[in-house]
Amino acid sequence: MGSDTPYFIGIDVGTGSARASLVAQNGEIKASSTKDTITWRDKHDHRIFEQSTNNIWEQICTAVKEVLKESNVPATAVKGLGFDATCSLAVSDFNANPITVTKGSDIGQNGDRNIILWADHRAEKEAELINSTGSIVLNYVGGTMSLEMEVPKILWLKKHMDPSLFARCQFFDLPDFFTYKATGDSTRSFCSTTCKCSFVPDKGWQPDFFERIGLGELIDDGNWRQMGTAHGRVQTAGSPVGQGLSRQAAEELGLVEGTAVGSGLIDAYAGWMGTVAARYTENGQLSAVLPSLDESRHRLAAVAGTSTCHIVQVMTKTLFQSREGVFVKGVWGPYKDAAFPGWWMNEGGQSSTGQLIDFIITTHAAYPELKERAKQEGKAIHTVLLDVLEKLRHENHVDTYTELTKHIHFYPDFHGNRSPIADPRMRGSIVGLELESSIADLARKYYLTLEAIALQTRHIVEALNTAGHDITSLYMSGGQAKNVVMMQLFADTCDIPVVLPKSHSEAVVLGAAMLGRIAAEGVKVGEDMWKIMVEMTPAGTLVAPGASSKVKKLLDAKYKIFRETIDIQNRWRQEIEEASR
């Protein structure tokens, strides 16, 4: 392939792997490579999840070299690359050497374990302190800061680290670390700083907030050196970082020094970028109209893997009730310029979805039987579970799985609630249990888990629309998008169409590649960014709501019970706390 044909590389750093994809200008993925990354847990503390930027970078480099080799595309043909990553806290010194974040004698010293993963919940007390301040910062995270965000984790590090070691730390949201690693330029992105690091839209860092919570040293006479930016030195998605790839990074990646690097996005936002501009097929027919940028405000992107993030954007001029974006209680944001200049975004989320499905399956007494049956039949375990459900449906003379499980009620917050309650203390529950541990019982619980995730998605969509959004469709990406039964549940439960991407696994990395093209072409205006998204996003498939009136009534009743379960859990917790005083 000639070097006159431009290509772009997207790099997606997920919870358990790093992926590189080589993408053509029309969005066609020419080659992909995925490499597993290491996560360390603490057997004495279930809250701890740690990773290593060295390990991830090594895997990125291997993956990039593999896609170049597989595609036979020369490095000179790669005109830009973009990074997305999880919203995890990476810590280095000012020479980019990793600094250990593990509690103990080595904390603050140079060492590989320098990432506190997004799922890490060690900073609960720090988040409680932050949420007691009443700061303006909290207005832009739905009123409550999550312990999964970066400032609570930085405060936890300060409490456990020698002050002289803390002073030599740089703190990055993970996407910004990798643009820094690639270019040597530490300029941060609006996406990472506003969404996860308490940088207030149009107002910048809030010194009084940092002083009040005990992180006054980060102010640094207004230079904010440890946080990497002062107001005015933050970049929108895809804008070129520094002078492009540094010599060292280019050598390690097998690319050309100076290749454009776009300012990064958190993985969920890259998933938004890689899905919401899609046309779609319905009943085999491709939609005739190209989506406009204004249409994006009606499309909620749901990036569903280990957890699920829900992203929607809105332009200030479309709002009647506010000139500062849509403020939604319990939903993060509004964040200005996180992806498009001048646009505001909100982010809802579920802390555990794919992880919850796996947990329910693998901890059930019938799991060994399920694995053996799947092996014997040459099927995936999810397919076997659907076979069992289908048999149960026939035996019980009902039309749907929802009818099969109508008297069991599942609440899914096993890992706390991210949206729209924003309470890490929320816990899961199942009402309607029987003395049964068969594979049939496992199949029912599997379906109930899918149903509960769908009911919670409805809760999030309703919260967004009640506050002022106008969401009329759900654009999926991530592993859950290949679960057809689950996607139909989403459409039926939320009563809006669900659009599935051409490839459930490639939407996020495609969004990262778009950042590379935006940087290479010097695109600065939202309309032009949108045109690139439309051109590069493959058509999806629309799943329309299809519940019968009987099932719709059941789902509405189950949603009412779902909401009542929240109230009951809060009341019970309060009663126990009062009894414990």
Side-chain angles (χ1 to χ4, degrees):
M1 299 183 184
S3 60
D4 56 336
T5 303
Y7 292 92
F8 309 95
I9 290 179
I11 296 165
D12 167 38
V13 179
T15 299
S17 63
R19 171 187 291 235
S21 291
L22 184 75
V23 184
Q25 203 157 354
N26 64 357
E28 181 183 356
I29 293 181
K30 297 294 185 179
S32 285
S33 175
T34 302
K35 300 296 176 186
D36 290 341
T37 54
I38 299 169
T39 299
W40 288 277
R41 303 295 309 278
D42 184 336
K43 64 182 180 181
H44 302 296
D45 189 343
H46 71 278
R47 302 172 303 168
I48 303 300
F49 295 77
E50 294 174 353
Q51 293 185 333
S52 162
T53 56
N54 280 348
N55 169 248
I56 296 171
W57 181 254
E58 288 170 3
Q59 301 298 64
I60 288 170
C61 293
T62 301
V64 170
K65 289 174 182 175
E66 286 187 1
V67 298
L68 292 174
K69 182 178 180 180
E70 178 186 340
S71 64
N72 199 31
V73 167
T76 52
V78 178
K79 304 304 180 185
L81 68 158
F83 292 86
D84 77 76
T86 63
C87 48
S88 303
L89 180 68
V91 186
S92 78
D93 63 22
F94 286 90
N95 294 314
N97 299 308
I99 288 179
T100 300
V101 296
T102 308
K103 186 176 181 180
S105 59
D106 291 334
I107 192 168
Q109 304 290 342
N110 291 111
D112 268 354
R113 291 171 62 167
N114 69 317
I115 297 173
I116 301 180
L117 193 66
W118 64 269
D120 189 290
H121 279 195
R122 72 183 70 183
E124 184 173 355
K125 291 182 179 178
E126 290 72 20
E128 288 175 358
L129 170 64
I130 289 166
N131 288 320
S132 71
T133 64
S135 169
I136 187 176
V137 166
L138 302 178
N139 296 348
Y140 291 86
V141 289
T144 304
M145 184 172 292
S146 169
L147 77 174
E148 294 178 3
M149 291 184 173
E150 312 307 9
V151 174
K153 292 172 180 174
I154 294 171
L155 183 56
W156 183 93
L157 287 173
K158 180 185 175 180
K159 289 181 177 179
H160 292 86
M161 197 180 288
D162 182 275
S164 64
L165 297 177
F166 184 81
R168 70 191 191 106
C169 293
Q170 290 190 93
F171 302 106
F172 295 86
D173 192 44
L174 198 54
D176 285 347
F177 178 85
F178 286 113
T179 58
Y180 170 55
K181 180 75 173 176
T183 65
D185 189 305
S186 65
T187 305
R188 307 299 207 269
S189 65
F190 272 113
C191 187
S192 282
T193 53
T194 60
C195 299
K196 305 301 171 187
C197 300
S198 304
F199 187 89
V200 176
D202 288 336
K203 299 177 177 67
W205 300 113
Q206 301 298 297
D208 59 332
F209 165 71
F210 284 90
E211 290 278 11
R212 186 168 179 182
I213 65 172
L215 285 173
E217 61 266 62
L218 298 184
I219 300 169
D220 188 29
D221 293 326
N223 292 314
W224 301 90
R225 200 166 68 103
Q226 291 177 270
M227 301 296 282
T229 183
H231 189 58
R233 288 190 273 122
V234 192
Q235 296 184 245
T236 52
S239 56
V241 178
Q243 301 302 310
L245 283 180
S246 67
R247 179 177 298 177
Q248 180 178 341
E251 289 175 356
E252 292 171 353
L253 291 163
L255 294 171
V256 177
E257 182 182 357
T259 301
V261 176
S263 185
L265 285 173
I266 296 163
D267 53 358
Y269 290 78
W272 172 88
M273 185 167 275
T275 55
V276 296
R279 297 163 73 188
Y280 54 82
T281 57
E282 184 177 11
N283 299 322
Q285 292 292 113
L286 180 64
S287 54
V289 180
L290 290 175
S292 67
L293 176 54
D294 185 63
E295 174 65 21
S296 69
R297 65 190 178 91
H298 302 298
R299 299 180 170 191
L300 179 68
V303 185
T306 306
S307 62
T308 300
C309 294
H310 307 81
I311 311 288
V312 65
Q313 77 166 358
V314 65
M315 186 66 174
T316 305
K317 68 181 180 183
T318 66
L319 303 178
F320 297 101
Q321 82 279 28
S322 172
R323 299 297 295 174
E324 290 192 315
V326 180
F327 290 83
V328 187
K329 182 175 173 55
V331 173
W332 298 340
Y335 302 131
K336 190 178 181 185
D337 303 321
F340 279 24
W343 284 73
W344 295 80
M345 304 187 88
N346 287 91
E347 177 185 351
Q350 295 158 286
S351 291
S352 180
T353 52
Q355 180 187 50
L356 178 63
I357 295 167
D358 290 344
F359 178 83
I360 293 298
I361 293 172
T362 59
T363 59
H364 195 280
Y367 178 57
E369 179 185 348
L370 173 64
K371 281 199 301 180
E372 183 60 28
R373 179 168 164 180
K375 181 180 178 181
Q376 290 178 357
E377 297 179 8
K379 295 179 179 179
I381 59 173
H382 295 257
T383 304
V384 173
L385 289 169
L386 291 177
D387 291 344
V388 175
L389 285 166
E390 190 62 18
K391 183 173 183 287
L392 290 169
R393 187 182 67 79
H394 283 288
E395 290 174 350
N396 288 270
H397 308 291
V398 295
D399 295 326
T400 65
Y401 305 147
T402 298
E403 294 168 80
L404 192 65
T405 57
K406 64 183 180 182
H407 289 303
I408 317 173
H409 307 288
F410 187 116
Y411 186 75
D413 283 335
F414 283 43
H415 198 54
N417 183 277
R418 189 184 296 173
S419 301
I421 307 169
D423 188 347
R425 300 171 301 170
M426 294 299 291
R427 291 295 178 262
S429 64
I430 304 177
V431 176
L433 292 173
E434 297 178 271
L435 286 171
E436 187 179 359
S437 59
S438 67
I439 195 168
D441 181 68
L442 171 53
R444 290 190 190 93
K445 287 191 173 74
Y446 166 68
Y447 184 76
L448 281 166
T449 308
L450 306 187
E451 184 181 78
I453 293 168
L455 291 168
Q456 191 165 67
T457 302
R458 175 175 170 178
H459 193 191
I460 292 167
V461 171
E462 284 192 0
L464 288 164
N465 283 342
T466 300
H469 281 287
D470 184 16
I471 293 160
T472 58
S473 56
L474 190 62
Y475 278 67
M476 297 296 304
S477 63
Q480 291 166 45
K482 62 183 177 181
N483 189 323
V484 177
V485 171
M486 190 178 191
M487 295 302 99
Q488 189 64 61
L489 257 176
F490 277 25
D492 294 344
T493 304
C494 299
D495 200 27
I496 56 176
V498 174
V499 176
L500 309 182
K502 180 181 177 182
S503 170
H504 72 274
S505 63
E506 294 175 343
V508 176
V509 77
L510 178 62
M514 291 174 185
L515 299 173
R517 180 174 171 186
I518 291 166
E521 297 182 4
V523 172
K524 298 179 180 179
V525 180
E527 284 285 356
D528 293 334
M529 294 170 70
W530 181 256
K531 288 176 183 176
I532 286 175
M533 289 168 61
V534 171
E535 182 180 351
M536 294 183 72
T537 308
T541 302
L542 186 139
V543 178
S548 65
S549 59
K550 180 197 292 185
V551 171
K552 189 72 177 75
K553 286 180 181 178
L554 279 175
L555 289 172
D556 286 345
K558 282 207 149 188
Y559 181 65
K560 181 174 181 289
I561 293 166
F562 180 93
R563 297 291 299 270
E564 288 174 354
T565 302
I566 297 168
D567 295 335
I568 290 168
Q569 184 173 156
N570 284 328
R571 189 177 76 244
W572 286 356
R573 185 190 302 118
Q574 183 177 351
E575 288 174 1
I576 291 298
E577 287 174 353
E578 288 175 355
S580 301
R581 288 172 187 162

